[in-house]
Amino acid sequence: MYLGRTTLSKFLIQQLEGIEGASDLGALLVDVAAAVKAISAMTAKGALSGVLGALESRNVQGERQTRLDVMANDEMLRSCEWGGLLAGMASEELEEPYAIPGEFARGKFLLVFDPLDGSSNADVNVSVGTIFSVLRHDQAHCPRTGDYLQPGRQQAAAGYAIYGPATMLVITVGKGTHGFTLDREIGNFILTHQDLTIPADSSEFAINTSNARFWEPPVHRYVTECQTGKSGERGRDFNMRWIASMVAEVHRILIRGGVFMYPKDTKDPRKPGRLRLLYEANPISLLVEQAGGRASTGRQRLLDVVPESLHQRVPVILGSRQEVERIERYHGEYDCGTDRPFISPLFNERSLFRPESRA
Ligand code: AHG
Ligand code: MN
Ligand code: MN
């Protein structure tokens, strides 16, 4: 039963052939996988190990940290700082980039991560995850914040772990998106989902509808059409899901298609979206594109967005290609006004031709 199974390490040796810095990148991904195994064990113990609950502390975004946020963050730092593979790290839970301690050698990659995605789900025993992005850093100097501000298309590798009924690691090095399942008895990630492919079309959408009053018209237009289903423009019924953990939503989309949206809204004018560009939107967008899907702000390919700051937020619309293209088209039509029927000035509000004016 175990003969001939492809482990993560074996797969990486094959996949990374011909890629610059292959052996270091492979070793780094194995270190990330080690952290993921530890975080998986922590989350699986739940209330038995006293790791649930919130702390008094808040992260740079002003969000209350959970115990697991902090523990998962420490696990990523400890597991990846020592190997001489990284020049630095940045995390959702750290205001500034993390400098590799002087006792360790400095490598040629930067690691950016969300140690625990969907952490509000941990206390209610619903799936959470870890998201990570690997960037190149060839300069001799210790990385400054600006070195992390690379557009997502430059990522050397990206991935996430999902801690669900099974723990899985889903990665890309720019040669397709591949899923590994943790065999807990042996402690190895085994290749179970090679070349994940998102169906181009789908009838499932995910959005937090409690924000509906803050959405832009093109998002309203799309969601209303989905809700109207068979009796409307789309001519078929749609299903809806909201797990409040992007990793879990994206995993579903990689397996059976669909659309995930955390779009631009007016809830807080200082924030152009809810999700963070560098360690949420970018790695997930690379995985989605490598699986044949599409990832957009609604107005621009997400992987082309040039970051301006470490914890920058961005609108996110991703998943099945044709659905995302439709939502992008709705944004375009809204921006140039072609989604509204033309009203001649003769018949507008103040016109002599309004029925009541003629009476
Ligand atoms: P995090 O736990 O890392 O802060 O991320 C949670 C994110 C994302 O995973 C999810 O899609 C979204 O926030 C949930 O937001 P709502 O609470 O608005 O549903
Ligand atoms: Mn997150
Ligand atoms: Mn998080």
Side-chain angles (χ1 to χ4, degrees), residues 92 114 116-119 129 131 246-247 274-276 279-280:
E92 177 187 340
D114 174 357
L116 204 69
D117 177 60
S119 53
I131 312 174
M246 178 166 65
V247 156
R274 161 85 170 83
L275 297 167
R276 279 60 52 115
Y279 42 81
E280 291 180 316

Side-chain angles (χ1 to χ4, degrees), residues 109 115 155 192 246 292:
F109 293 100
Q155 292 169 100
T192 48
M246 178 166 65

Side-chain angles (χ1 to χ4, degrees), residues 209-328:
T209 52
S210 73
N211 293 326
R213 68 191 183 282
F214 304 115
W215 295 341
E216 290 191 290
V219 174
H220 268 292
R221 180 179 170 191
Y222 179 77
V223 172
T224 304
E225 282 180 6
C226 293
Q227 289 167 332
T228 314
K230 242 185 208 137
S231 44
E233 164 110 351
R234 302 304 305 269
R236 65 179 198 267
D237 288 336
F238 280 69
N239 199 2
M240 200 204 85
R241 289 283 183 276
W242 188 251
I243 307 175
S245 158
M246 178 166 65
V247 156
E249 317 277 3
V250 167
H251 194 68
R252 183 187 61 249
I253 289 170
L254 283 167
I255 301 289
R256 69 177 190 213
V259 165
F260 167 87
M261 285 177 275
Y262 220 119
K264 177 169 186 267
D265 65 31
T266 57
K267 197 171 183 177
D268 180 345
R270 289 164 306 172
K271 297 177 186 165
R274 161 85 170 83
L275 297 167
R276 279 60 52 115
L277 176 60
L278 285 180
Y279 42 81
E280 291 180 316
N282 273 347
I284 294 293
S285 297
L286 189 62
L287 291 161
V288 164
E289 283 201 2
Q290 285 291 315
R294 196 169 170 88
S296 168
T297 64
R299 297 180 166 91
Q300 185 185 10
R301 180 186 178 220
L302 263 163
L303 292 178
D304 286 338
V305 175
V306 179
E308 286 168 7
S309 63
L310 208 54
H311 300 284
Q312 174 178 345
R313 296 179 193 251
V314 72
V316 172
I317 297 168
L318 55 79
S320 291
R321 190 174 45 78
Q322 286 179 25
E323 292 300 309
V324 176
E325 281 170 358
R326 174 182 283 265
I327 303 166
E328 287 178 309

Side-chain angles (χ1 to χ4, degrees), residues 171-192:
I171 58 164
T172 182
V173 295
K175 296 182 181 178
T177 294
H178 311 285
F180 301 79
T181 304
L182 179 61
D183 184 331
R184 292 177 204 266
E185 286 166 26
I186 301 178
N188 262 345
F189 277 105
I190 306 296
L191 180 66
T192 48

Side-chain angles (χ1 to χ4, degrees), residues 42 49-56 65-74 116 123:
M42 279 174 211
S49 61
V51 294
L52 303 182
L55 299 168
E56 283 307 305
Q65 290 178 305
T66 67
R67 276 190 181 79
L68 278 171
D69 282 324
V70 174
M71 289 170 67
N73 188 60
D74 286 347
L116 204 69
D123 282 2

